Amino acid sequence: MPSAEHESPVALARLDPSLVAWLLTHVFDVKVPDYHHARPHATDVRVLVPRTYHADSMLLFCDPADRPLLAAVLEIQRRWDATKRRTWKLYVAQLEAELDVDTALLVYCPDLRTARRYRGLFEFDGLSLSLRPLIFTPNDVPLVVDVDLARTNPALAVLSAICHGQNAQVEATFPALMAALRSVGPKTAILYYDVVLAGLPAAVRTRWEAFMTTMADYEFRSDLLRELAARYEKQGEARGEARAILTVLDGRGVAVPDEARAKILGCTDLAQLDSWLRRAVNASTVDDVLGG
């Protein structure tokens, strides 16, 4: 199962697809069409041999009539895997053939050496289909310490904190990160807050929580706590947490069949419900929550 550190950038892109557009434009000088909205796309790619390949995230940037103008695949690659030379081509080819639009492949490599290896993997593709993955590392994401920038682009502020979690200067991002949370309202702030907690190393996460406890004003903390409390209903803590899981999935557009809904609502194991709730923040299907 992918780690929380793996899933956090993917969840962030789903929460705010404009972040992917920002990366394409500002890191790789890719001209993104003047799109009306963006929406997620199914991440499974099937081939004639009975096998399904699963990308981390796929997004479509669409016009007002919901016609795709540009597609983007986002992959989080923490380790070396030579098979990506071919499977990444499948993702791009599938989208371009299905939708008849250009497709950008964005690959985030937290490790610089791993990024160099992947860049070298595509320098010469021999006789096969050429692919130009847009590979970026924490060095390509700015350390967002400017409060105004964080308010304007809260998803970038969150991504910055996640990417620079190992950086000794990461605490300099905390005031801007708090401003980003203030700018989006309690419901979205909770989702961003969960992404931050999942994406930061344990020691930095502790310092971030301490910062929020001491520096956030009473009103802001109260709003966040009220939103958290809204997850729990009078029927009891288990029932409330089950409702919270369904609320998160509904907010992210994940379909929940009746059987899965009954399983969630019928569960009284708080540890299991807590595990499902954490998975729900990053899930693209209900199986991502209940599986395993």
Side-chain angles (χ1 to χ4, degrees):
M1 180 179 294
S3 66
E5 291 84 358
H6 175 101
E7 289 297 318
S8 290
V10 175
L12 190 56
R14 290 175 185 147
L15 285 170
D16 188 351
S18 68
L19 177 63
V20 173
W22 187 94
L23 289 167
L24 289 171
T25 301
H26 292 86
V27 178
F28 298 103
D29 294 324
V30 172
K31 182 174 176 54
V32 176
D34 186 17
Y35 65 95
H36 176 267
H37 64 277
R39 57 181 168 87
H41 187 70
T43 56
D44 290 343
V45 175
R46 296 186 181 274
V47 294
L48 291 178
V49 177
R51 181 174 179 181
T52 298
Y53 296 89
H54 186 79
D56 287 331
S57 181
M58 291 182 176
L59 296 170
L60 304 180
F61 297 93
C62 305
D63 66 12
D66 204 38
R67 290 185 295 262
L69 302 172
L70 175 72
V73 179
L74 175 62
E75 283 280 287
I76 313 300
Q77 204 63 37
R78 296 181 173 272
R79 298 179 181 84
W80 172 251
D81 183 353
T83 66
K84 296 297 182 180
R85 179 174 180 266
R86 303 192 188 282
T87 56
W88 283 345
K89 292 177 182 178
L90 283 173
Y91 303 157
V92 172
Q94 165 87 13
L95 284 173
E96 293 197 340
E98 175 189 352
L99 302 170
D100 192 26
V101 293
D102 289 338
T103 299
L105 171 64
L106 274 167
V107 181
Y108 173 56
C109 292
D111 180 71
L112 302 185
R113 288 175 296 181
T114 302
R116 283 195 295 270
R117 291 190 72 184
Y118 279 113
R119 287 175 179 135
L121 185 65
F122 292 91
E123 285 183 356
F124 178 68
D125 268 352
L127 299 177
S128 66
L129 178 69
S130 295
L131 179 68
R132 183 171 68 94
L134 305 175
I135 298 171
F136 68 105
T137 71
N139 289 350
D140 297 304
V141 178
L143 190 73
V144 176
V145 297
D146 183 271
V147 171
D148 290 334
L149 174 59
R151 291 192 185 108
T152 302
N153 197 337
L156 177 61
V158 175
L159 180 66
S160 174
I162 292 171
C163 288
H164 295 284
Q166 303 290 349
N167 189 324
Q169 297 179 317
V170 66
E171 288 186 60
T173 69
F174 288 178
L177 189 54
M178 184 171 67
L181 295 182
R182 290 177 185 275
S183 71
V184 295
K187 290 184 181 294
T188 304
I190 288 296
L191 296 176
Y192 279 142
Y193 191 82
D194 286 344
V195 170
V196 172
L197 291 183
L200 290 177
V204 179
R205 184 187 315 134
T206 299
R207 298 201 297 273
W208 161 245
E209 290 180 309
F211 174 87
M212 285 294 290
T213 300
T214 57
M215 297 302 295
D217 61 52
Y218 176 79
E219 182 179 355
F220 180 59
R221 288 200 306 272
S222 296
D223 285 342
L224 292 181
L225 290 172
R226 276 195 293 270
E227 186 58 36
L228 283 169
R231 296 178 176 184
Y232 302 95
E233 298 180 343
K234 292 180 181 179
Q235 294 92 327
E237 189 174 2
R239 181 75 172 181
E241 191 147 351
R243 289 287 186 185
I245 294 167
L246 297 175
T247 298
V248 171
L249 292 176
D250 179 66
R252 302 189 62 252
V254 176
V256 181
D258 290 342
E259 182 178 349
R261 185 179 298 272
K263 181 176 181 179
I264 293 170
L265 290 173
C267 182
T268 57
D269 184 336
L270 290 176
Q272 180 65 79
L273 288 165
D274 183 68
S275 175
W276 287 347
L277 182 58
R278 291 180 180 276
R279 293 181 193 176
V281 174
N282 300 318
S284 55
T285 70
V286 73
D287 289 338
D288 294 338
V289 177
L290 302 180

